[in-house]
Amino acid sequence: MTAPIPSPESLIQTPVITRFAPAPTGYLHLGHVLNAIYVWETARASGRGGRVLLRIEDHDRTRSRPIFEVALLEDLAWLGFRADGELTRQSERSALYERALEGLRARGLTYACECSRAGIRAVAYPGTCRDKDLPEAAGFGVRVRLDSTIERFEDLRLGQQEQRPSEQCGDVLVRDRAGNWTYQFAAVVDDWLQNVNLVIRGEDLLDSTGRQIQLARLIGRAQPPAFLHHELLMKTATQKLSKSNGDTGVRDLRAKGWSPEAVIEHARALAAQSPHHPSLNHLSSDRK
Ligand SMILES: [Zn+2]
């Protein structure tokens, strides 16, 4: 059984420049392995010049641990996935995010926000601080004003999608009250600066695609990347496989004597059993 690999289509640029971007907040598990299969095989299938960048998404300083980064890189090498070019760490790119934020600020697109996550009851941020004119100071977050544009894009696996980020999530947080850059912002800036033209990730992130496309445009990216959202590994038809299930860690399988090939085949076999996304082509909302 093999996971379906998309053929390069006109809507993606070739050769593909994509990235594998784990957060060092835990060990490598089978969900990462499936993502790596998609990422490397799609880049390699796009011809000579296809590239996979390796990015450590350690933007959240409170949850990231060097020990996990070391383990992630070791497990990835053991599986045989080799990245192209230098590894980058989001924790070392703060000046680049600051510069992107400055561009938004200069156009009046940002504002400080004093709301705590717990204080926001609605699914979408309701714009509480939009007109408060709060100072951008320690203890305040920073948000970007979104307009009400409907973002339409074609997912390489799931087809035509449309999302309205202003209703789904409201103005996007780019830096939180603790001073951490958010995943949404750091990833969009990195994808732009690194010329990533195809983002490959799990279906659980489908709903955040519209806001990332809008953010990319706002920071000045002329052509946002294409997206491919792959299936998630399921333990049962309704239960997502997660690291908390205990039997999915690459380290654990290594310790039990599995070979890299067997781990990769296992991830492919589980993917082949995964049900399709239950609600495609919808204007949906989530909490991210
Ligand atoms: Zn607020």
Side-chain angles (χ1 to χ4, degrees):
M1 296 287 226
T2 56
I5 302 302
S7 57
E9 298 170 40
S10 58
L11 60 126
I12 64 171
Q13 300 170 43
T14 53
V16 162
I17 302 173
T18 186
R19 78 296 205 279
F20 183 74
T25 55
Y27 292 107
L28 205 71
H29 57 79
L30 288 172
H32 290 114
V33 177
L34 180 65
N35 183 246
I37 292 169
Y38 268 97
V39 163
W40 264 271
E41 293 194 0
T42 305
R44 299 297 178 241
S46 79
R48 291 177 62 175
R51 287 168 62 79
V52 177
L53 309 177
L54 183 57
R55 178 194 304 159
I56 302 297
E57 296 207 328
D58 55 353
H59 55 92
D60 185 338
R61 293 165 299 174
T62 54
R63 294 177 60 228
S64 299
R65 299 278 179 276
I67 188 175
F68 290 131
E69 180 188 312
V70 171
L72 288 166
L73 296 177
E74 193 185 293
D75 287 344
L76 203 60
W78 178 77
L79 287 165
F81 293 110
R82 310 252 180 274
D84 304 299
E86 296 270 301
L87 170 151
T88 55
R89 289 184 192 86
Q90 291 186 324
S91 59
E92 296 166 355
R93 296 168 64 82
S94 197
L96 299 170
Y97 308 140
E98 184 57 57
R99 199 178 307 160
L101 174 58
E102 180 51 41
L104 295 170
R105 192 184 284 127
R107 288 156 58 211
L109 291 172
T110 64
Y111 62 89
C113 170
E114 62 182 348
C115 304
S116 65
R117 193 170 293 206
I120 303 170
R121 294 222 170 75
V123 170
Y125 176 69
T128 314
C129 303
R130 252 190 175 210
D131 301 313
K132 284 186 182 171
D133 204 18
L134 297 166
E136 256 192 51
F140 290 84
V142 180
R143 289 184 185 271
V144 174
R145 292 171 201 271
L146 298 187
D147 60 39
S148 57
T149 306
I150 294 178
E151 299 294 345
R152 295 188 172 84
F153 59 95
E154 180 152 4
D155 184 274
L156 265 63
R157 175 168 161 268
L158 302 175
Q160 195 65 38
Q161 307 289 320
E162 56 177 52
Q163 298 176 357
R164 195 197 295 266
S166 59
E167 284 179 6
Q168 282 176 285
C169 62
D171 295 339
V172 172
L173 192 67
V174 301
R175 199 167 59 201
D176 69 19
R177 296 195 307 161
N180 292 306
W181 298 102
T182 62
Y183 157 73
Q184 301 291 351
F185 191 64
V188 168
V189 174
D190 284 342
D191 287 339
W192 176 39
L193 297 179
Q194 297 183 313
N195 298 311
V196 167
N197 57 19
L198 176 61
V199 174
I200 300 173
R201 55 190 195 168
E203 277 175 357
D204 53 337
L205 294 174
L206 177 66
D207 288 343
S208 68
T209 308
R211 75 200 64 163
Q212 296 206 342
I213 289 172
Q214 192 166 125
L215 260 183
R217 199 181 307 115
L218 289 173
I219 62 175
R221 183 167 185 172
Q223 188 180 3
F227 284 83
L228 186 162
H229 290 89
H230 57 73
E231 62 273 63
L232 300 176
L233 298 185
M234 305 291 283
K235 190 174 188 188
T236 66
T238 55
Q239 195 186 355
K240 193 173 140 186
L241 191 77
S242 75
K243 34 196 172 176
S244 57
N245 293 135
D247 51 359
T248 72
V250 172
R251 306 234 120 184
D252 301 332
L253 298 173
R254 280 176 73 175
K256 288 178 190 165
W258 287 52
S259 68
E261 295 75 20
V263 172
I264 288 170
E265 282 313 305
H266 186 46
R268 284 187 201 278
L270 286 171
Q273 295 167 15
S274 287
H276 280 267
H277 194 282
S279 55
L280 302 178
N281 302 309
H282 59 325
L283 278 169
S284 61
S285 58
D286 72 358
R287 275 158 278 115
K288 287 213 170 67

